[in-house]
């Protein structure tokens, strides 16, 4: 079945979004591919659809269990044989994945990069008839990026071992990060590269100097009461106290951070997907892979780490293309804290210098006297 037919019959779209068709054609043709697309641009379709066109199994390396489970659920509802091997699986789910692999019916197999540390996983993938590797959130391979995951470094070895094409996708990668992705995932060989822009014209960018930050966040949320939103905080404790303050003034709000147990986190993710008007107050542990199109606003109660992190986090708003708003608070304590984080880290001097440069770029965006969108796009070379 051709890509256009699958696009209509399986995914329910009459036409590709801008940029998708060129990427899909390259991936279907078996070319190594790097695609940088804005959040909400439809990255997942660019590897899911080719997986159905091509023979064999496509292995999807993805960083978060919630993201994998969400995509597998959507594919299965569309009639696609897909499964995930994660620590959150039930025995029945894992057995179904193994049966699908043995029968040759499974088309997409999702797994976290940490699984690649097991020789058993590599041997299983050798036997499974893998025809392609897709890497979601590929910026995680880069030590220059904002979300480094050491296990992503094993993906390049997997590609060489299986000798299959690889397609890598991300929404945020400056020139340095792109170079490292190519070096680590493609062994320095230039892939077919697609850069479809960083501009999200429906998102309004606002920064304010901290002046009673709790009141600033409460006022921002109250002006948007009944709309789904995310508030990012720099500490776990702050997520809990700020969620409580929002509830006290009548908002539906909950908190999310890495110190919660897995079931509590899954419950928040479920609620956010299903409830209208819920506010989640979270550390950056929340959001990657959350496919909720109608998030109307994102606020930062503390300064993010870098422009890449900021762009990734605000990009969760307005994925449906309708207007969305952001607010980022910052103050001298934030700047001191971020500088201290860099200086006390174990990174080599050149990395620390680069991280200071990234922080300076974010401060330049915060204090910009001209259109912030122009500054943001210039940072990404657009």
């Amino acid at each position: 079945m051709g890509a256009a037919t699958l696009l209509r019959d399986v995914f329910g779209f009459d036409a590709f979004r801008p940029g998708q068709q060129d990427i899909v054609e390259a991936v279907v043709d078996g070319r190594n591919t790097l695609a940088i697309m804005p959040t909400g641009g439809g990255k997942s379709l660019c590897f899911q659809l080719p997986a159905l066109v091509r023979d064999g199994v496509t292995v999807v390396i993805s960083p978060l269990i919630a993201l994998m489970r969400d995509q597998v659920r959507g594919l299965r509802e569309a009639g696609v044989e897909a499964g995930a091997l994660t620590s959150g699986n039930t025995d029945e789910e894992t057995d179904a994945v193994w049966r699908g692999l043995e029968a040759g019916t499974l088309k997409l197999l999702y797994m976290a990069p940490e699984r690649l540390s097991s020789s058993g996983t590599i041997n299983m993938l050798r036997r499974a008839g893998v025809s392609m590797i897709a890497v979601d959130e590929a910026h995680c391979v880069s030590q220059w990026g904002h979300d480094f995951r050491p296990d992503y470094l094993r993906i390049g070895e997997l590609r060489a071992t299986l000798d299959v094409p690889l397609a890598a996708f991300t929404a945020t990668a400056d020139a340095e990060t792109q170079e490292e992705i190519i070096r680590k995932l493609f062994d320095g060989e230039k892939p077919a590269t697609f850069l479809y822009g960083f501009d999200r014209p429906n998102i309004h960018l606002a920064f304010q100097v901290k002046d009673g930050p709790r009141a600033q966040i409460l006022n921002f949320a109250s002006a948007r009461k009944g709309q789904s939103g995310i508030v990012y905080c720099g500490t776990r404790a702050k997520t809990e106290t700020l969620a409580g303050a929002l509830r006290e003034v009548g908002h539906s709000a909950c908190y999310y951070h890495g110190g919660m147990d897995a079931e509590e986190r899954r419950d928040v993710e479920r609620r956010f997907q299903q409830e209208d008007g819920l506010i989640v107050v979270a550390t950056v542990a929340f959001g990657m892979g959350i496919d909720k199109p109608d998030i109307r606003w994102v606020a930062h109660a503390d300064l993010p780490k870098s422009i890449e992190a900021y762009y990734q986090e605000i990009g969760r708003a307005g994925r449906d293309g309708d207007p969305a708003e952001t607010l980022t608070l910052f103050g001298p304590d934030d700047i001191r804290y971020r500088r201290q984080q860099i200086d006390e880290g174990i990174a080599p001097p050149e990395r620390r210098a680069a991280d200071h440069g990234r922080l300076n770029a974010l401060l330049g965006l915060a204090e910009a006297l001209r259109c912030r969108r122009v500054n943001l796009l210039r940072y990404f070379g657009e």
Side-chain angles (χ1 to χ4, degrees), residues 323-342:
E325 295 178 275
T326 68
L327 173 67
T328 301
L329 303 182
F330 68 103
D333 289 345
D334 289 304
I335 298 165
R336 275 194 295 273
Y337 173 67
R338 290 299 184 196
R339 294 230 181 276
Q340 185 179 349
Q341 266 190 322
I342 296 168

Side-chain angles (χ1 to χ4, degrees), residues 208-288:
Q208 288 179 10
V209 175
K210 286 184 176 180
D211 182 16
R214 178 179 291 200
Q216 286 171 286
I217 294 293
L218 292 177
N219 290 338
F220 186 77
S222 292
R224 293 151 188 83
K225 192 158 188 178
Q227 298 179 353
S228 297
I230 303 174
V231 183
Y232 283 109
C233 299
T235 66
R236 295 174 179 181
K238 188 182 282 190
T239 67
E240 299 185 16
T241 57
L242 193 49
L246 285 161
R247 284 196 297 272
E248 283 173 13
V249 293
H251 295 280
S252 176
C254 56
Y255 61 86
Y256 183 107
H257 57 67
M260 297 161 65
D261 69 41
E263 188 51 45
E264 287 179 309
R265 294 200 302 273
R266 277 196 293 272
D267 183 54
V268 172
E269 289 161 2
R270 249 190 322 268
R271 287 187 61 194
F272 194 58
Q273 291 285 11
Q274 295 169 3
E275 292 182 26
D276 292 331
L278 182 66
I279 300 170
V280 176
V281 187
T283 61
V284 294
F286 180 77
M288 189 187 287

